[in-house]
Amino acid sequence: MRYFIAVAEVGSLHVAAEKRLNTAQPSLSRQMRDLEAELGCSLMTRSSRGIELTTAGRVFLDHARVILAQVDAAGEAARRAAAPPRAEFVLGFLTGHEFDWLPGVMTILREEIPEAEVTVLSRSSPDLAAGLMRGKIDLALLRPEPNTPGVVFETLNSEPLVVLMPADHRLAIRPTVRPRDLGAERRIGVPAARSPVLRAVTDGYAKKVGVDLAPDYEVDNLSMAISLVVSTGGIALMPLYARNLLPPTVVSRPLEGEPPLIDVTLGYRRDTPHLQLAAIVARVKQLRAGAR
């Protein structure tokens, strides 16, 4: 599975063998043929231009990534169980949320675990979920990501999606944006494979209001979305926290009517080695309650 993922990601048996796997290309080719024979279907097509996945190959790739993440998580869990408690604490934030939450959460951590060395990470939600699952992150503010066994998600709040657009866009003069106006614009969105929660919320809203919101451009993160808004003159539906990261050339406007909502959750592992984590989680939830 690891070899297959490497080949799929680089699109070349030669590059995967030489740059990623440190193995001989004939051996790698043989293992790919053996994998296809075991599964009873073709996973990839080979040509002078490189490797392209078949429909079966794309499906297998999604499952293989999840399975290997779970295998890695199992190994990390076993090592954590055998090791003494760590004197460090890793805190993760969905990029942009640290502006609102970091000061309060850091106060709680200093009071609850003053002896611990705290590391703060700013990542995408899927990356944070993978870090939690593997035991690399102790607590994170993120989306309730699917396929993360062993991880608990507790909802902190729900934030609306807003419309990002260039400051000189024709819709920027309005206090709110009508859903029907979005269909005629260039749309920047996220791929379902990279941001499944945000894409599901956006697609659900599109179906509800009867507007085609399929993205013309797909981006992996908010920074890329903002850059494309500027460079293409298009619009993007993004969570409210995106306002924390906007340059002067990009503005946000609320949607007219009932906007789609996306959850912000507190994520942690069920088998965490930190005895103080329950108290920390309880206090962070109180912090949110007090902020309202």
Side-chain angles (χ1 to χ4, degrees):
M1 282 189 183
R2 292 190 192 279
Y3 281 14
F4 171 73
I5 290 172
V7 173
E9 289 180 345
V10 302
S12 165
L13 286 163
H14 174 73
V15 175
E18 185 174 288
K19 303 294 186 182
R20 292 277 294 271
L21 301 172
N22 286 326
T23 190
Q25 181 176 333
S27 173
L28 178 59
S29 297
R30 184 173 60 254
Q31 293 203 47
M32 292 301 95
R33 289 194 298 269
D34 290 346
L35 176 62
E36 290 177 318
E38 182 177 347
L39 294 175
C41 61
S42 175
L43 299 176
M44 58 187 73
T45 58
R46 302 156 179 84
S47 69
S48 59
R49 294 181 310 227
I51 294 295
E52 291 186 6
L53 296 184
T54 63
T55 300
R58 289 192 294 271
V59 171
F60 186 73
L61 177 63
D62 290 339
H63 285 276
R65 283 171 169 158
V66 172
I67 290 167
L68 285 185
Q70 293 175 352
V71 170
D72 290 343
E76 290 291 343
R79 285 186 286 272
R80 284 198 312 275
R86 294 177 298 148
E88 63 175 327
F89 191 93
V90 182
L91 175 66
F93 287 95
L94 176 58
T95 301
H97 280 288
E98 59 270 29
F99 289 89
D100 299 323
W101 291 88
L102 182 57
V105 177
M106 285 301 295
T107 297
I108 292 171
L109 294 182
R110 284 194 295 267
E111 293 174 355
E112 293 289 340
I113 47 174
E115 75 288 350
E117 178 181 345
V118 177
T119 299
V120 179
L121 304 177
S122 179
R123 299 281 190 273
S124 70
S125 185
D127 287 344
L128 291 172
L132 287 168
M133 192 170 66
R134 294 185 174 97
K136 301 294 187 181
I137 298 175
D138 297 299
L139 185 68
L141 275 80
L142 73 168
R143 306 296 179 205
E145 297 292 339
N147 300 318
T148 50
V151 178
V152 177
F153 296 98
E154 296 200 30
T155 302
L156 292 175
N157 69 345
S158 298
E159 57 183 341
L161 299 193
V162 296
V163 185
L164 308 187
M165 65 187 76
D168 59 356
H169 195 280
R170 66 181 183 86
L171 297 177
I173 62 173
R174 298 180 179 176
T176 60
V177 176
R178 297 172 299 187
R180 65 176 180 271
D181 291 330
L182 301 177
E185 302 296 324
R186 294 190 187 93
R187 296 176 298 275
I188 294 99
V190 296
R194 184 60 180 159
S195 300
V197 179
L198 178 56
R199 184 60 180 268
V201 170
T202 305
D203 289 349
Y205 178 70
K207 184 176 180 180
K208 177 181 176 181
V209 298
V211 175
D212 179 11
L213 296 180
D216 299 297
Y217 306 95
E218 289 189 337
V219 294
D220 282 348
N221 56 61
L222 180 57
S223 295
M224 292 175 62
I226 293 171
S227 296
L228 274 180
V229 166
V230 174
S231 62
T232 68
I235 59 96
L237 275 183
M238 292 289 162
L240 182 65
Y241 82 94
R243 298 185 305 179
N244 294 328
L245 302 173
L246 296 184
T249 52
V250 177
V251 298
S252 67
R253 294 291 182 267
L255 286 161
E256 184 178 275
E258 184 178 351
L261 300 176
I262 189 167
D263 289 340
V264 180
T265 66
L266 203 57
Y268 56 91
R269 286 192 62 86
R270 296 182 190 277
D271 60 354
T272 177
H274 287 281
L275 299 179
Q276 300 96 325
L277 188 61
I280 293 169
V281 169
R283 289 191 61 185
V284 172
K285 292 166 66 177
Q286 290 172 0
L287 178 69
R288 173 56 198 163
R292 279 200 294 259

PDB file of all heavy atoms in Angstrom, residues 1-36:
ATOM      1  N   MET A   1       0.828  -1.204   0.000  1.00  0.00           N
ATOM      2  CA  MET A   1       0.000   0.000   0.000  1.00  0.00           C
ATOM      3  C   MET A   1       0.866   1.260   0.000  1.00  0.00           C
ATOM      4  O   MET A   1       0.569   2.236  -0.696  1.00  0.00           O
ATOM      5  CB  MET A   1      -0.925   0.000   1.212  1.00  0.00           C
ATOM      6  CG  MET A   1      -2.125  -0.903   1.074  1.00  0.00           C
ATOM      7  SD  MET A   1      -3.288  -0.651   2.438  1.00  0.00           S
ATOM      8  CE  MET A   1      -4.488  -1.894   2.018  1.00  0.00           C
ATOM      9  N   ARG A   2       1.944   1.247   0.801  1.00  0.00           N
ATOM     10  CA  ARG A   2       2.824   2.422   0.818  1.00  0.00           C
ATOM     11  C   ARG A   2       3.442   2.640  -0.561  1.00  0.00           C
ATOM     12  O   ARG A   2       3.561   3.783  -1.036  1.00  0.00           O
ATOM     13  CB  ARG A   2       3.922   2.239   1.860  1.00  0.00           C
ATOM     14  CG  ARG A   2       3.417   2.251   3.293  1.00  0.00           C
ATOM     15  CD  ARG A   2       4.567   2.303   4.283  1.00  0.00           C
ATOM     16  NE  ARG A   2       4.106   2.032   5.625  1.00  0.00           N
ATOM     17  CZ  ARG A   2       3.526   2.934   6.415  1.00  0.00           C
ATOM     18  NH1 ARG A   2       3.327   4.163   5.973  1.00  0.00           N
ATOM     19  NH2 ARG A   2       3.135   2.613   7.640  1.00  0.00           N
ATOM     20  N   TYR A   3       3.878   1.565  -1.212  1.00  0.00           N
ATOM     21  CA  TYR A   3       4.462   1.697  -2.541  1.00  0.00           C
ATOM     22  C   TYR A   3       3.431   2.219  -3.530  1.00  0.00           C
ATOM     23  O   TYR A   3       3.734   3.076  -4.370  1.00  0.00           O
ATOM     24  CB  TYR A   3       5.001   0.335  -2.999  1.00  0.00           C
ATOM     25  CG  TYR A   3       6.338  -0.046  -2.405  1.00  0.00           C
ATOM     26  CD1 TYR A   3       6.855   0.642  -1.310  1.00  0.00           C
ATOM     27  CD2 TYR A   3       7.088  -1.085  -2.940  1.00  0.00           C
ATOM     28  CE1 TYR A   3       8.077   0.298  -0.773  1.00  0.00           C
ATOM     29  CE2 TYR A   3       8.321  -1.436  -2.398  1.00  0.00           C
ATOM     30  CZ  TYR A   3       8.807  -0.740  -1.312  1.00  0.00           C
ATOM     31  OH  TYR A   3      10.020  -1.076  -0.778  1.00  0.00           O
ATOM     32  N   PHE A   4       2.211   1.692  -3.461  1.00  0.00           N
ATOM     33  CA  PHE A   4       1.160   2.141  -4.382  1.00  0.00           C
ATOM     34  C   PHE A   4       0.867   3.619  -4.193  1.00  0.00           C
ATOM     35  O   PHE A   4       0.727   4.374  -5.167  1.00  0.00           O
ATOM     36  CB  PHE A   4      -0.106   1.312  -4.168  1.00  0.00           C
ATOM     37  CG  PHE A   4      -1.295   1.850  -4.917  1.00  0.00           C
ATOM     38  CD1 PHE A   4      -1.392   1.709  -6.291  1.00  0.00           C
ATOM     39  CD2 PHE A   4      -2.308   2.520  -4.242  1.00  0.00           C
ATOM     40  CE1 PHE A   4      -2.484   2.218  -6.990  1.00  0.00           C
ATOM     41  CE2 PHE A   4      -3.395   3.030  -4.931  1.00  0.00           C
ATOM     42  CZ  PHE A   4      -3.482   2.872  -6.312  1.00  0.00           C
ATOM     43  N   ILE A   5       0.756   4.069  -2.946  1.00  0.00           N
ATOM     44  CA  ILE A   5       0.491   5.486  -2.677  1.00  0.00           C
ATOM     45  C   ILE A   5       1.605   6.355  -3.237  1.00  0.00           C
ATOM     46  O   ILE A   5       1.359   7.407  -3.837  1.00  0.00           O
ATOM     47  CB  ILE A   5       0.311   5.717  -1.161  1.00  0.00           C
ATOM     48  CG1 ILE A   5      -1.000   5.084  -0.680  1.00  0.00           C
ATOM     49  CG2 ILE A   5       0.315   7.218  -0.830  1.00  0.00           C
ATOM     50  CD1 ILE A   5      -1.164   5.086   0.824  1.00  0.00           C
ATOM     51  N   ALA A   6       2.859   5.932  -3.057  1.00  0.00           N
ATOM     52  CA  ALA A   6       3.990   6.703  -3.579  1.00  0.00           C
ATOM     53  C   ALA A   6       3.917   6.820  -5.098  1.00  0.00           C
ATOM     54  O   ALA A   6       4.106   7.899  -5.673  1.00  0.00           O
ATOM     55  CB  ALA A   6       5.298   6.058  -3.151  1.00  0.00           C
ATOM     56  N   VAL A   7       3.627   5.717  -5.779  1.00  0.00           N
ATOM     57  CA  VAL A   7       3.512   5.741  -7.241  1.00  0.00           C
ATOM     58  C   VAL A   7       2.363   6.644  -7.675  1.00  0.00           C
ATOM     59  O   VAL A   7       2.494   7.454  -8.605  1.00  0.00           O
ATOM     60  CB  VAL A   7       3.319   4.312  -7.784  1.00  0.00           C
ATOM     61  CG1 VAL A   7       3.014   4.347  -9.288  1.00  0.00           C
ATOM     62  CG2 VAL A   7       4.556   3.467  -7.519  1.00  0.00           C
ATOM     63  N   ALA A   8       1.237   6.538  -6.999  1.00  0.00           N
ATOM     64  CA  ALA A   8       0.064   7.346  -7.354  1.00  0.00           C
ATOM     65  C   ALA A   8       0.342   8.831  -7.162  1.00  0.00           C
ATOM     66  O   ALA A   8      -0.095   9.663  -7.973  1.00  0.00           O
ATOM     67  CB  ALA A   8      -1.134   6.912  -6.506  1.00  0.00           C
ATOM     68  N   GLU A   9       1.061   9.188  -6.115  1.00  0.00           N
ATOM     69  CA  GLU A   9       1.289  10.600  -5.807  1.00  0.00           C
ATOM     70  C   GLU A   9       2.293  11.255  -6.750  1.00  0.00           C
ATOM     71  O   GLU A   9       2.144  12.425  -7.089  1.00  0.00           O
ATOM     72  CB  GLU A   9       1.737  10.755  -4.355  1.00  0.00           C
ATOM     73  CG  GLU A   9       0.618  10.495  -3.366  1.00  0.00           C
ATOM     74  CD  GLU A   9       1.040  10.647  -1.919  1.00  0.00           C
ATOM     75  OE1 GLU A   9       2.272  10.674  -1.643  1.00  0.00           O
ATOM     76  OE2 GLU A   9       0.156  10.724  -1.055  1.00  0.00           O
ATOM     77  N   VAL A  10       3.328  10.512  -7.184  1.00  0.00           N
ATOM     78  CA  VAL A  10       4.327  11.115  -8.081  1.00  0.00           C
ATOM     79  C   VAL A  10       4.024  10.845  -9.549  1.00  0.00           C
ATOM     80  O   VAL A  10       4.560  11.518 -10.428  1.00  0.00           O
ATOM     81  CB  VAL A  10       5.756  10.638  -7.738  1.00  0.00           C
ATOM     82  CG1 VAL A  10       6.096  10.973  -6.306  1.00  0.00           C
ATOM     83  CG2 VAL A  10       5.923   9.137  -7.992  1.00  0.00           C
ATOM     84  N   GLY A  11       3.166   9.855  -9.835  1.00  0.00           N
ATOM     85  CA  GLY A  11       2.784   9.576 -11.216  1.00  0.00           C
ATOM     86  C   GLY A  11       3.860   8.935 -12.050  1.00  0.00           C
ATOM     87  O   GLY A  11       3.830   9.009 -13.288  1.00  0.00           O
ATOM     88  N   SER A  12       4.822   8.278 -11.388  1.00  0.00           N
ATOM     89  CA  SER A  12       5.920   7.661 -12.137  1.00  0.00           C
ATOM     90  C   SER A  12       6.532   6.539 -11.313  1.00  0.00           C
ATOM     91  O   SER A  12       6.888   6.741 -10.144  1.00  0.00           O
ATOM     92  CB  SER A  12       6.992   8.706 -12.456  1.00  0.00           C
ATOM     93  OG  SER A  12       8.208   8.098 -12.866  1.00  0.00           O
ATOM     94  N   LEU A  13       6.677   5.359 -11.923  1.00  0.00           N
ATOM     95  CA  LEU A  13       7.353   4.254 -11.248  1.00  0.00           C
ATOM     96  C   LEU A  13       8.831   4.575 -11.020  1.00  0.00           C
ATOM     97  O   LEU A  13       9.382   4.299  -9.953  1.00  0.00           O
ATOM     98  CB  LEU A  13       7.229   2.981 -12.084  1.00  0.00           C
ATOM     99  CG  LEU A  13       5.848   2.301 -12.083  1.00  0.00           C
ATOM    100  CD1 LEU A  13       5.747   1.331 -13.247  1.00  0.00           C
ATOM    101  CD2 LEU A  13       5.609   1.579 -10.768  1.00  0.00           C
ATOM    102  N   HIS A  14       9.465   5.192 -12.008  1.00  0.00           N
ATOM    103  CA  HIS A  14      10.887   5.507 -11.896  1.00  0.00           C
ATOM    104  C   HIS A  14      11.141   6.503 -10.771  1.00  0.00           C
ATOM    105  O   HIS A  14      12.022   6.291  -9.925  1.00  0.00           O
ATOM    106  CB  HIS A  14      11.398   6.072 -13.221  1.00  0.00           C
ATOM    107  CG  HIS A  14      12.817   6.557 -13.156  1.00  0.00           C
ATOM    108  ND1 HIS A  14      13.898   5.707 -13.086  1.00  0.00           N
ATOM    109  CD2 HIS A  14      13.320   7.823 -13.125  1.00  0.00           C
ATOM    110  CE1 HIS A  14      15.011   6.419 -13.019  1.00  0.00           C
ATOM    111  NE2 HIS A  14      14.691   7.706 -13.049  1.00  0.00           N
ATOM    112  N   VAL A  15      10.384   7.597 -10.742  1.00  0.00           N
ATOM    113  CA  VAL A  15      10.588   8.623  -9.713  1.00  0.00           C
ATOM    114  C   VAL A  15      10.252   8.075  -8.333  1.00  0.00           C
ATOM    115  O   VAL A  15      10.963   8.321  -7.352  1.00  0.00           O
ATOM    116  CB  VAL A  15       9.742   9.874 -10.022  1.00  0.00           C
ATOM    117  CG1 VAL A  15       9.848  10.890  -8.883  1.00  0.00           C
ATOM    118  CG2 VAL A  15      10.189  10.502 -11.330  1.00  0.00           C
ATOM    119  N   ALA A  16       9.153   7.307  -8.241  1.00  0.00           N
ATOM    120  CA  ALA A  16       8.778   6.734  -6.942  1.00  0.00           C
ATOM    121  C   ALA A  16       9.860   5.805  -6.425  1.00  0.00           C
ATOM    122  O   ALA A  16      10.218   5.827  -5.237  1.00  0.00           O
ATOM    123  CB  ALA A  16       7.443   6.002  -7.058  1.00  0.00           C
ATOM    124  N   ALA A  17      10.396   4.963  -7.304  1.00  0.00           N
ATOM    125  CA  ALA A  17      11.426   4.016  -6.882  1.00  0.00           C
ATOM    126  C   ALA A  17      12.694   4.733  -6.449  1.00  0.00           C
ATOM    127  O   ALA A  17      13.299   4.399  -5.421  1.00  0.00           O
ATOM    128  CB  ALA A  17      11.735   3.043  -8.026  1.00  0.00           C
ATOM    129  N   GLU A  18      13.105   5.746  -7.218  1.00  0.00           N
ATOM    130  CA  GLU A  18      14.395   6.395  -6.965  1.00  0.00           C
ATOM    131  C   GLU A  18      14.320   7.450  -5.876  1.00  0.00           C
ATOM    132  O   GLU A  18      15.208   7.522  -5.010  1.00  0.00           O
ATOM    133  CB  GLU A  18      14.889   7.024  -8.268  1.00  0.00           C
ATOM    134  CG  GLU A  18      16.282   7.637  -8.164  1.00  0.00           C
ATOM    135  CD  GLU A  18      16.785   8.121  -9.502  1.00  0.00           C
ATOM    136  OE1 GLU A  18      17.120   7.282 -10.359  1.00  0.00           O
ATOM    137  OE2 GLU A  18      16.825   9.351  -9.704  1.00  0.00           O
ATOM    138  N   LYS A  19      13.271   8.269  -5.891  1.00  0.00           N
ATOM    139  CA  LYS A  19      13.215   9.428  -4.999  1.00  0.00           C
ATOM    140  C   LYS A  19      12.455   9.174  -3.699  1.00  0.00           C
ATOM    141  O   LYS A  19      12.768   9.773  -2.665  1.00  0.00           O
ATOM    142  CB  LYS A  19      12.549  10.612  -5.719  1.00  0.00           C
ATOM    143  CG  LYS A  19      13.220  11.013  -7.025  1.00  0.00           C
ATOM    144  CD  LYS A  19      14.619  11.562  -6.805  1.00  0.00           C
ATOM    145  CE  LYS A  19      15.209  12.091  -8.123  1.00  0.00           C
ATOM    146  NZ  LYS A  19      16.586  12.595  -7.945  1.00  0.00           N
ATOM    147  N   ARG A  20      11.471   8.297  -3.737  1.00  0.00           N
ATOM    148  CA  ARG A  20      10.610   8.134  -2.564  1.00  0.00           C
ATOM    149  C   ARG A  20      10.862   6.831  -1.802  1.00  0.00           C
ATOM    150  O   ARG A  20      10.716   6.791  -0.575  1.00  0.00           O
ATOM    151  CB  ARG A  20       9.134   8.174  -2.996  1.00  0.00           C
ATOM    152  CG  ARG A  20       8.643   9.518  -3.504  1.00  0.00           C
ATOM    153  CD  ARG A  20       8.253  10.452  -2.387  1.00  0.00           C
ATOM    154  NE  ARG A  20       7.099   9.957  -1.664  1.00  0.00           N
ATOM    155  CZ  ARG A  20       5.832  10.240  -1.995  1.00  0.00           C
ATOM    156  NH1 ARG A  20       5.583  10.991  -3.047  1.00  0.00           N
ATOM    157  NH2 ARG A  20       4.833   9.779  -1.269  1.00  0.00           N
ATOM    158  N   LEU A  21      11.206   5.766  -2.500  1.00  0.00           N
ATOM    159  CA  LEU A  21      11.177   4.441  -1.878  1.00  0.00           C
ATOM    160  C   LEU A  21      12.543   3.759  -1.758  1.00  0.00           C
ATOM    161  O   LEU A  21      12.656   2.745  -1.066  1.00  0.00           O
ATOM    162  CB  LEU A  21      10.234   3.526  -2.683  1.00  0.00           C
ATOM    163  CG  LEU A  21       8.786   4.026  -2.795  1.00  0.00           C
ATOM    164  CD1 LEU A  21       8.007   3.147  -3.766  1.00  0.00           C
ATOM    165  CD2 LEU A  21       8.114   4.043  -1.436  1.00  0.00           C
ATOM    166  N   ASN A  22      13.556   4.296  -2.432  1.00  0.00           N
ATOM    167  CA  ASN A  22      14.886   3.687  -2.387  1.00  0.00           C
ATOM    168  C   ASN A  22      14.844   2.191  -2.739  1.00  0.00           C
ATOM    169  O   ASN A  22      15.364   1.344  -2.017  1.00  0.00           O
ATOM    170  CB  ASN A  22      15.530   3.857  -1.003  1.00  0.00           C
ATOM    171  CG  ASN A  22      16.001   5.277  -0.759  1.00  0.00           C
ATOM    172  OD1 ASN A  22      16.442   5.943  -1.693  1.00  0.00           O
ATOM    173  ND2 ASN A  22      15.910   5.730   0.463  1.00  0.00           N
ATOM    174  N   THR A  23      14.194   1.899  -3.822  1.00  0.00           N
ATOM    175  CA  THR A  23      14.115   0.518  -4.293  1.00  0.00           C
ATOM    176  C   THR A  23      14.325   0.511  -5.801  1.00  0.00           C
ATOM    177  O   THR A  23      14.315   1.568  -6.452  1.00  0.00           O
ATOM    178  CB  THR A  23      12.754  -0.116  -3.939  1.00  0.00           C
ATOM    179  OG1 THR A  23      12.795  -1.509  -4.204  1.00  0.00           O
ATOM    180  CG2 THR A  23      11.615   0.513  -4.737  1.00  0.00           C
ATOM    181  N   ALA A  24      14.542  -0.645  -6.358  1.00  0.00           N
ATOM    182  CA  ALA A  24      14.751  -0.753  -7.802  1.00  0.00           C
ATOM    183  C   ALA A  24      13.411  -0.716  -8.527  1.00  0.00           C
ATOM    184  O   ALA A  24      12.415  -1.269  -8.051  1.00  0.00           O
ATOM    185  CB  ALA A  24      15.488  -2.050  -8.128  1.00  0.00           C
ATOM    186  N   GLN A  25      13.402  -0.059  -9.702  1.00  0.00           N
ATOM    187  CA  GLN A  25      12.142   0.053 -10.444  1.00  0.00           C
ATOM    188  C   GLN A  25      11.565  -1.300 -10.848  1.00  0.00           C
ATOM    189  O   GLN A  25      10.347  -1.499 -10.735  1.00  0.00           O
ATOM    190  CB  GLN A  25      12.325   0.939 -11.678  1.00  0.00           C
ATOM    191  CG  GLN A  25      11.019   1.106 -12.469  1.00  0.00           C
ATOM    192  CD  GLN A  25      11.161   2.055 -13.632  1.00  0.00           C
ATOM    193  OE1 GLN A  25      11.998   2.950 -13.615  1.00  0.00           O
ATOM    194  NE2 GLN A  25      10.361   1.851 -14.657  1.00  0.00           N
ATOM    195  N   PRO A  26      12.368  -2.275 -11.281  1.00  0.00           N
ATOM    196  CA  PRO A  26      11.776  -3.584 -11.625  1.00  0.00           C
ATOM    197  C   PRO A  26      11.072  -4.229 -10.432  1.00  0.00           C
ATOM    198  O   PRO A  26      10.002  -4.828 -10.584  1.00  0.00           O
ATOM    199  CB  PRO A  26      12.983  -4.410 -12.081  1.00  0.00           C
ATOM    200  CG  PRO A  26      13.964  -3.396 -12.577  1.00  0.00           C
ATOM    201  CD  PRO A  26      13.803  -2.212 -11.669  1.00  0.00           C
ATOM    202  N   SER A  27      11.667  -4.085  -9.244  1.00  0.00           N
ATOM    203  CA  SER A  27      11.034  -4.646  -8.050  1.00  0.00           C
ATOM    204  C   SER A  27       9.716  -3.936  -7.758  1.00  0.00           C
ATOM    205  O   SER A  27       8.711  -4.568  -7.420  1.00  0.00           O
ATOM    206  CB  SER A  27      11.979  -4.515  -6.852  1.00  0.00           C
ATOM    207  OG  SER A  27      11.321  -4.907  -5.655  1.00  0.00           O
ATOM    208  N   LEU A  28       9.710  -2.615  -7.905  1.00  0.00           N
ATOM    209  CA  LEU A  28       8.485  -1.851  -7.667  1.00  0.00           C
ATOM    210  C   LEU A  28       7.415  -2.237  -8.681  1.00  0.00           C
ATOM    211  O   LEU A  28       6.237  -2.417  -8.322  1.00  0.00           O
ATOM    212  CB  LEU A  28       8.793  -0.356  -7.732  1.00  0.00           C
ATOM    213  CG  LEU A  28       7.609   0.594  -7.550  1.00  0.00           C
ATOM    214  CD1 LEU A  28       6.929   0.381  -6.195  1.00  0.00           C
ATOM    215  CD2 LEU A  28       8.066   2.050  -7.678  1.00  0.00           C
ATOM    216  N   SER A  29       7.787  -2.354  -9.945  1.00  0.00           N
ATOM    217  CA  SER A  29       6.818  -2.736 -10.976  1.00  0.00           C
ATOM    218  C   SER A  29       6.219  -4.109 -10.673  1.00  0.00           C
ATOM    219  O   SER A  29       5.009  -4.325 -10.841  1.00  0.00           O
ATOM    220  CB  SER A  29       7.502  -2.758 -12.349  1.00  0.00           C
ATOM    221  OG  SER A  29       7.975  -1.481 -12.703  1.00  0.00           O
ATOM    222  N   ARG A  30       7.068  -5.030 -10.242  1.00  0.00           N
ATOM    223  CA  ARG A  30       6.584  -6.368  -9.915  1.00  0.00           C
ATOM    224  C   ARG A  30       5.596  -6.327  -8.755  1.00  0.00           C
ATOM    225  O   ARG A  30       4.557  -7.000  -8.783  1.00  0.00           O
ATOM    226  CB  ARG A  30       7.767  -7.273  -9.574  1.00  0.00           C
ATOM    227  CG  ARG A  30       7.349  -8.733  -9.324  1.00  0.00           C
ATOM    228  CD  ARG A  30       8.556  -9.631  -9.169  1.00  0.00           C
ATOM    229  NE  ARG A  30       9.406  -9.234  -8.048  1.00  0.00           N
ATOM    230  CZ  ARG A  30      10.590  -8.625  -8.168  1.00  0.00           C
ATOM    231  NH1 ARG A  30      11.064  -8.329  -9.376  1.00  0.00           N
ATOM    232  NH2 ARG A  30      11.305  -8.300  -7.102  1.00  0.00           N
ATOM    233  N   GLN A  31       5.880  -5.515  -7.743  1.00  0.00           N
ATOM    234  CA  GLN A  31       4.968  -5.426  -6.598  1.00  0.00           C
ATOM    235  C   GLN A  31       3.633  -4.803  -7.002  1.00  0.00           C
ATOM    236  O   GLN A  31       2.579  -5.193  -6.493  1.00  0.00           O
ATOM    237  CB  GLN A  31       5.617  -4.621  -5.471  1.00  0.00           C
ATOM    238  CG  GLN A  31       6.809  -5.341  -4.860  1.00  0.00           C
ATOM    239  CD  GLN A  31       7.111  -4.865  -3.462  1.00  0.00           C
ATOM    240  OE1 GLN A  31       6.208  -4.756  -2.633  1.00  0.00           O
ATOM    241  NE2 GLN A  31       8.373  -4.594  -3.206  1.00  0.00           N
ATOM    242  N   MET A  32       3.649  -3.843  -7.928  1.00  0.00           N
ATOM    243  CA  MET A  32       2.394  -3.250  -8.390  1.00  0.00           C
ATOM    244  C   MET A  32       1.571  -4.282  -9.178  1.00  0.00           C
ATOM    245  O   MET A  32       0.349  -4.350  -9.051  1.00  0.00           O
ATOM    246  CB  MET A  32       2.677  -2.014  -9.255  1.00  0.00           C
ATOM    247  CG  MET A  32       3.278  -0.830  -8.497  1.00  0.00           C
ATOM    248  SD  MET A  32       2.255  -0.221  -7.122  1.00  0.00           S
ATOM    249  CE  MET A  32       2.992  -1.110  -5.727  1.00  0.00           C
ATOM    250  N   ARG A  33       2.256  -5.087  -9.975  1.00  0.00           N
ATOM    251  CA  ARG A  33       1.540  -6.147 -10.708  1.00  0.00           C
ATOM    252  C   ARG A  33       0.978  -7.183  -9.742  1.00  0.00           C
ATOM    253  O   ARG A  33      -0.154  -7.661  -9.924  1.00  0.00           O
ATOM    254  CB  ARG A  33       2.481  -6.811 -11.721  1.00  0.00           C
ATOM    255  CG  ARG A  33       2.835  -5.936 -12.909  1.00  0.00           C
ATOM    256  CD  ARG A  33       3.470  -6.758 -14.023  1.00  0.00           C
ATOM    257  NE  ARG A  33       4.725  -7.371 -13.584  1.00  0.00           N
ATOM    258  CZ  ARG A  33       5.921  -6.814 -13.710  1.00  0.00           C
ATOM    259  NH1 ARG A  33       6.030  -5.612 -14.245  1.00  0.00           N
ATOM    260  NH2 ARG A  33       7.012  -7.460 -13.310  1.00  0.00           N
ATOM    261  N   ASP A  34       1.743  -7.516  -8.710  1.00  0.00           N
ATOM    262  CA  ASP A  34       1.261  -8.483  -7.721  1.00  0.00           C
ATOM    263  C   ASP A  34       0.044  -7.933  -6.980  1.00  0.00           C
ATOM    264  O   ASP A  34      -0.905  -8.683  -6.683  1.00  0.00           O
ATOM    265  CB  ASP A  34       2.368  -8.814  -6.715  1.00  0.00           C
ATOM    266  CG  ASP A  34       3.490  -9.644  -7.330  1.00  0.00           C
ATOM    267  OD1 ASP A  34       3.278 -10.180  -8.430  1.00  0.00           O
ATOM    268  OD2 ASP A  34       4.570  -9.738  -6.716  1.00  0.00           O
ATOM    269  N   LEU A  35       0.075  -6.635  -6.667  1.00  0.00           N
ATOM    270  CA  LEU A  35      -1.060  -6.018  -5.970  1.00  0.00           C
ATOM    271  C   LEU A  35      -2.310  -6.071  -6.841  1.00  0.00           C
ATOM    272  O   LEU A  35      -3.404  -6.419  -6.373  1.00  0.00           O
ATOM    273  CB  LEU A  35      -0.720  -4.570  -5.608  1.00  0.00           C
ATOM    274  CG  LEU A  35      -1.835  -3.743  -4.954  1.00  0.00           C
ATOM    275  CD1 LEU A  35      -2.260  -4.360  -3.621  1.00  0.00           C
ATOM    276  CD2 LEU A  35      -1.371  -2.296  -4.743  1.00  0.00           C
ATOM    277  N   GLU A  36      -2.168  -5.742  -8.121  1.00  0.00           N
ATOM    278  CA  GLU A  36      -3.311  -5.786  -9.030  1.00  0.00           C
ATOM    279  C   GLU A  36      -3.829  -7.214  -9.175  1.00  0.00           C
ATOM    280  O   GLU A  36      -5.049  -7.433  -9.229  1.00  0.00           O
ATOM    281  CB  GLU A  36      -2.910  -5.216 -10.390  1.00  0.00           C
ATOM    282  CG  GLU A  36      -2.672  -3.710 -10.365  1.00  0.00           C
ATOM    283  CD  GLU A  36      -2.215  -3.166 -11.696  1.00  0.00           C
ATOM    284  OE1 GLU A  36      -1.357  -3.839 -12.343  1.00  0.00           O
ATOM    285  OE2 GLU A  36      -2.686  -2.093 -12.097  1.00  0.00           O
TER     286      GLU A  36
END
